[in-house]
Amino acid sequence: MTYVDEDLLQYTDWRGQPFLRKEVARFLTFYCKTPKPLDPENVVILNGCSAVFSALAMVLCDPGEAFLVPTPSYGGFAFSTHLYAKVKLVPVHLESQVSANGYPFQLTVDKLEHALLRAKIEGKKVRGLVLINPQNPLGDVYSQDSMMEYLEFAKKYNLHVIVDEMYMLSVFDEAITFHSVLSMKSLPDPNKTHVIWAPDFCISGFRFGALYTHNREVASAMSCFGYLHSISGIAQYKLVKWIDNIYLPSYHFRLQEAHRYVTRKLKASKVPFLNRGSGLYVWINLKQYLDPCTFEEELLLHRRFLDHKLILSPGKTFMCKEPGWFRLVFAARPHLLRNGEWS
């Protein structure tokens, strides 16, 4: 890990070093269970998933155009899309109320259709659909059937689909099976399906994000952003050492233990939450502590947590339609979780 070669100190390939792109393709081929080996030439590596997403927005859209995004969703998307490309997000609002044969915050094609129609009425040109699987902050894992429905919807309306699979290796519940988009033998529109991934190994300081796309024109355009958003050669070399199957068993065990501890405490405190088996967070309902239940009160409660050195991200930062929901990150060492409890 301390090895430094002179070649690593030179300018890197804008797409990412060939040895790292080859390793990423091999890694995703194995863990995504792809029908055939992935091509390293379809891999583009930049300094973080946000950089990849922001660059994709510039490549796929003109300023003022939009993406559909189911909400609540990762709040960084709004910043990433608007920073360079001035691309807008059209929220597909999901509700906590459970409909017949449904579950809380369920994404359906009907909701996508409704959001797309609303965008057209408002004069917005939608160019794509953004999906996170496993979902952040909900922790939901989309089934193959559901994902195929979303992809068919996108093809019907000639939309690109950006699938963020960053947390695919953070599914710690053995009863849940994650299916990558890359595992599908036949995609409705391969040239408009783009996958973002980064190793969810708690090494975010490496600033690594990868794109896999079957569309060579998109890959070529994305590689230009390596001029501004590349990773140092030394970091790329070290990343190759991390991208293997040694870390995962311990990682899953630690996530299970931390999730079990936090959810047990939430149940004892009678705090409702979505009980999912993936991701690094729990989506919790603190509406009972808001009076009145408004986003203003939600922000005040968030600040009270901060005063006690606890960070619970308020639902509004995830574009949640309902006030009172918070994301609690549980991926921490046991003593920190215990300190948080007493805080």
Side-chain angles (χ1 to χ4, degrees), residues 12 18 22 33 36 42 48 60 65 69 72 76 91 125 169 194 213 247 254 281:
T12 65
K22 181 180 179 180
K33 298 179 174 60
K36 59 181 180 180
N42 293 340
L60 301 180
E65 294 181 339
V69 56
K125 184 175 181 180
L169 297 176
H194 319 287
T213 176
Y247 181 75
R254 292 171 183 172
Y281 33 74

Side-chain angles (χ1 to χ4, degrees), residues 203-239:
I203 53 171
S204 54
F206 273 81
R207 303 308 305 143
F208 168 86
L211 168 74
Y212 191 87
T213 176
H214 296 287
N215 190 321
R216 285 291 176 87
E217 291 184 357
V218 169
S220 177
M222 287 289 294
S223 68
C224 296
F225 289 89
Y227 182 74
L228 298 174
H229 293 287
S230 63
I231 314 171
S232 77
I234 296 173
Q236 292 192 49
Y237 177 80
K238 293 180 184 296
L239 278 163

